[in-house]
Amino acid sequence: MDCHGLGGVVLGEFAVTGRILIPVLLSLLSVFVLTSLAAAEDVIHTSDGRVLRGEIVGETERQIIFRYEDPSLGIKTNIRLPKSAIEKIERNVQPVAAEQDQPVADTPADSGNDTNAEGKEESKPSRSSSATSFYVVPFKGQIGTDITARIYEEIIEDIKQQRPDVVILELTSSDIEDVFSEGAVDIIEGEYKPQERNDWDKKNMQDIRLMFNDDLPRDIEQVIWVKNAVGSSSVLAMAWPDMYMSPDAKLGGMDAYVRMYRNAAGDAHVAAKFGDAAFGWLKGITDYGIDPDDPNESRDKLIEAMAKPEKKLSVSWMGRKPWWRATTNGDKIIDPSDKAAAMLEAWQCEDFCLSDGTAETLDDLAVLLGERQYQVVEGIAAELVQKHHEDWRAAWEKAMKAYSDFQMWMGRVNGPNAMGNLRKAESSLRRLLVLVKKWPEVQAKMRITPVQLEILLERLKEQRKNGGRGGGGNSGRGGGGGGGLGSR
């Protein structure tokens, strides 16, 4: 090899001077480095055997926020992974060959036959045939009115016809958020409650849980996705073994039921018995949430600490399994108070393996479920729940108007045209009776039965016969008097 000038070299048949070679090499090197860095990815190995490739975009003491791209769909989404569910993290890893990233089911191997592109395209399964089907069932609003067993009977039948792979129960129900435009009114006692509360409707909750347990085929997977569960809804949240939560979700408020029963007792001894009976019912529903494949014998202590204000809550670990204690003797103290029951946030449920993960969106939930492709079944659930929500509230507005009119006319009975005002009060009460008979939700919210209203109507008739005198029209309970419909 001959040299041609200072710093010159010969590459094959071409002579290149050092002044040209160095910039070229630097350019090639920089392109190589930048390409390598751009292509680097983070790899997360989860405890259930999955390998997720993407980018870690955030990290806290308890969880990893991971930007994940589904290789088969090309869809990117942020998911939150608890560190307790991660076996290993590999950072800035060079990606494997593209063909290795593709799932076998989505990219059939070339058999070597000389087929055209059209034939290969036809051999790929369509998304509808290969994607996992989700059927989303909203549990939204107040237990006993919005969330009532009678509307879910029809949804159960639709699920059986649609035959989805997974039923997702989306629970949004909280006593600490006013989801109603009107407050509750106790029509008998005349009390106005400015914030809506969940009803502790035992039969309703039992019927809902039993129909999803008994009436659906066993091969349809069920998960509950808790967006908020405070009050009686927390019992439903704990009644499914596979529970996921949204990042801002809270879980608690079971103690309201135990307090209610204790307060109804006459003395401390009876209160203790009443409280134990209430706890027994709560436990009976939440026991449906026990994982049959991996039961946790300490779970009763968790439910006890969430239901009884005087119980504290802590947790220890037996391998990877949390061991709950209704005391402060565990390794991690969660609730040291003996005045209020435990209220848990999503990150605590995830860290202590009470929930299976945290999902902000349906895409996040699909990833946590290990489903790369999914499609949402267009069932009747969302439309039916929304229609019921709107219809019963419209009936509630009419009932409140009838009640208000009844009060107004009863307030004028002692003035001029007493008989006419009595007839108008009776007409208003009949309108209310029709609505209470037709809508159990109106009946539940007003805390009155059709029988009670019918008794009041009979008394109004008697009062009219007496020329507007007597008849007990102001009594709301069918006996006794005072404090009833006409007293406000």
Side-chain angles (χ1 to χ4, degrees):
M1 177 172 59
D2 297 328
C3 294
H4 298 275
L6 183 64
V9 296
V10 175
L11 298 177
E13 298 296 326
F14 300 95
V16 183
T17 65
R19 287 176 295 177
I20 298 176
L21 176 63
I22 292 174
V24 169
L25 290 176
L26 289 175
S27 298
L28 290 174
L29 181 61
S30 63
V31 169
F32 173 76
V33 170
L34 290 174
T35 303
S36 300
L37 289 176
E41 62 183 3
D42 300 317
V43 180
I44 291 181
H45 301 260
T46 64
S47 55
D48 59 2
R50 288 178 294 149
V51 179
L52 303 178
R53 301 180 183 278
E55 179 187 3
I56 296 175
V57 296
E59 185 172 353
T60 68
E61 181 182 350
R62 304 177 185 90
Q63 66 181 0
I64 296 287
I65 303 174
F66 194 61
R67 184 70 171 171
Y68 168 77
E69 180 175 359
D70 189 302
S72 59
L73 299 179
I75 297 175
K76 291 185 177 181
T77 183
N78 285 354
I79 61 175
R80 290 171 168 80
L81 300 170
K83 289 185 176 179
S84 59
I86 295 174
E87 290 286 353
K88 183 175 68 171
I89 298 176
E90 299 178 81
R91 302 176 189 265
N92 297 324
V93 176
Q94 293 302 313
V96 296
E99 59 271 15
Q100 294 177 350
D101 278 343
Q102 298 299 323
V104 173
D106 293 340
T107 309
D110 191 348
S111 62
N113 296 332
D114 187 18
T115 55
N116 56 33
E118 183 180 357
K120 289 183 179 180
E121 184 65 29
E122 291 177 351
S123 69
K124 293 181 180 179
S126 65
R127 179 177 180 182
S128 60
S129 64
S130 62
T132 299
S133 55
F134 289 167
Y135 191 115
V136 181
V137 180
F139 283 172
K140 184 176 182 180
Q142 184 197 43
I143 300 287
T145 52
D146 286 306
I147 305 173
T148 180
R150 69 189 187 97
I151 67 169
Y152 291 100
E153 292 173 354
E154 189 174 348
I155 292 173
I156 288 285
E157 293 304 314
D158 188 50
I159 293 172
K160 289 193 285 189
Q161 290 182 7
Q162 299 282 356
R163 296 290 299 184
D165 298 307
V166 184
V167 170
I168 298 172
L169 306 165
E170 186 177 353
L171 177 60
T172 310
S173 178
S174 174
D175 279 352
I176 59 176
E177 293 179 359
D178 187 0
V179 296
F180 286 75
S181 57
E182 293 286 350
V185 172
D186 188 328
I187 198 169
I188 297 298
E189 298 297 338
E191 297 177 358
Y192 178 77
K193 302 181 183 302
Q195 183 177 0
E196 189 68 18
R197 295 286 179 180
N198 279 324
D199 190 13
W200 286 95
D201 189 338
K202 294 195 301 183
K203 186 176 186 308
N204 218 334
M205 286 190 281
Q206 286 172 334
D207 288 348
I208 289 174
R209 187 61 190 96
L210 284 173
M211 70 173 64
F212 277 93
N213 185 74
D214 298 342
D215 297 346
L216 288 181
R218 295 295 180 186
D219 60 344
I220 298 179
E221 182 182 357
Q222 297 183 39
V223 301
I224 191 161
W225 184 17
V226 178
K227 294 193 169 180
N228 241 342
V230 178
S232 55
S233 57
S234 62
V235 180
L236 281 181
M238 296 286 287
W240 269 266
D242 298 321
M243 180 178 71
Y244 298 83
M245 300 181 73
S246 66
D248 298 326
K250 289 182 172 58
L251 177 67
M254 291 185 194
D255 57 308
Y257 187 63
V258 173
R259 289 177 187 271
M260 180 175 67
Y261 265 68
R262 286 176 174 176
N263 292 339
D267 57 55
H269 179 68
V270 177
K273 291 184 175 180
F274 278 22
D276 288 342
F279 171 72
W281 175 81
L282 292 175
K283 182 179 175 300
I285 297 294
T286 59
D287 276 355
Y288 282 96
I290 296 174
D291 186 349
D293 297 324
D294 187 23
N296 188 329
E297 293 80 3
S298 69
R299 194 173 187 268
D300 287 356
K301 298 298 182 183
L302 168 65
I303 304 300
E304 190 175 17
M306 295 180 71
K308 296 182 178 180
E310 69 275 10
K311 296 295 183 179
K312 303 174 183 180
L313 181 63
S314 62
V315 65
S316 301
W317 293 92
M318 296 182 63
R320 298 183 64 85
K321 178 182 290 188
W323 193 259
W324 302 99
R325 302 174 187 271
T327 65
T328 55
N329 296 331
D331 297 333
K332 176 71 174 179
I333 297 175
I334 300 172
D335 176 27
S337 172
D338 59 0
K339 305 298 182 184
M343 175 80 70
L344 302 176
E345 297 188 29
W347 67 264
Q348 292 174 305
C349 294
E350 186 174 55
D351 278 7
F352 303 130
C353 299
L354 181 57
S355 76
D356 295 298
T358 304
E360 188 170 7
T361 66
L362 190 58
D363 285 344
D364 297 347
L365 182 58
V367 171
L368 292 175
L369 291 172
E371 303 297 344
R372 291 190 169 191
Q373 299 183 49
Y374 73 89
Q375 58 183 359
V376 178
V377 175
E378 294 183 4
I380 66 171
E383 182 178 351
L384 185 63
V385 168
Q386 182 63 28
K387 186 177 186 302
H388 170 77
H389 174 89
E390 293 172 356
D391 288 352
W392 92 259
R393 290 192 183 197
W396 162 252
E397 293 291 338
K398 292 178 182 178
M400 289 300 296
K401 179 65 168 63
Y403 171 54
S404 177
D405 290 346
F406 169 79
Q407 285 187 306
M408 179 181 68
W409 298 121
M410 287 300 296
R412 298 178 183 180
V413 166
N414 295 326
N417 194 21
M419 296 299 293
N421 291 333
L422 268 177
R423 282 192 294 271
K424 291 177 180 178
E426 183 180 340
S427 175
S428 299
L429 201 59
R430 288 189 183 280
R431 283 163 37 214
L432 179 59
L433 176 61
V434 169
L435 292 164
V436 168
K437 281 184 174 181
K438 181 178 180 180
W439 292 95
E441 296 78 20
V442 173
Q443 177 179 329
K445 190 167 184 182
M446 285 191 157
R447 301 172 180 88
I448 195 169
T449 67
V451 172
Q452 290 171 318
L453 290 177
E454 287 167 351
I455 291 173
L456 288 176
L457 279 169
E458 290 299 319
R459 290 183 175 178
L460 286 180
K461 289 180 183 178
E462 182 182 347
Q463 191 170 352
R464 278 199 297 111
K465 289 179 181 179
N466 293 334
R469 298 182 300 276
N474 286 343
S475 174
R477 293 197 181 274
L485 284 169
S487 63
R488 290 187 64 213

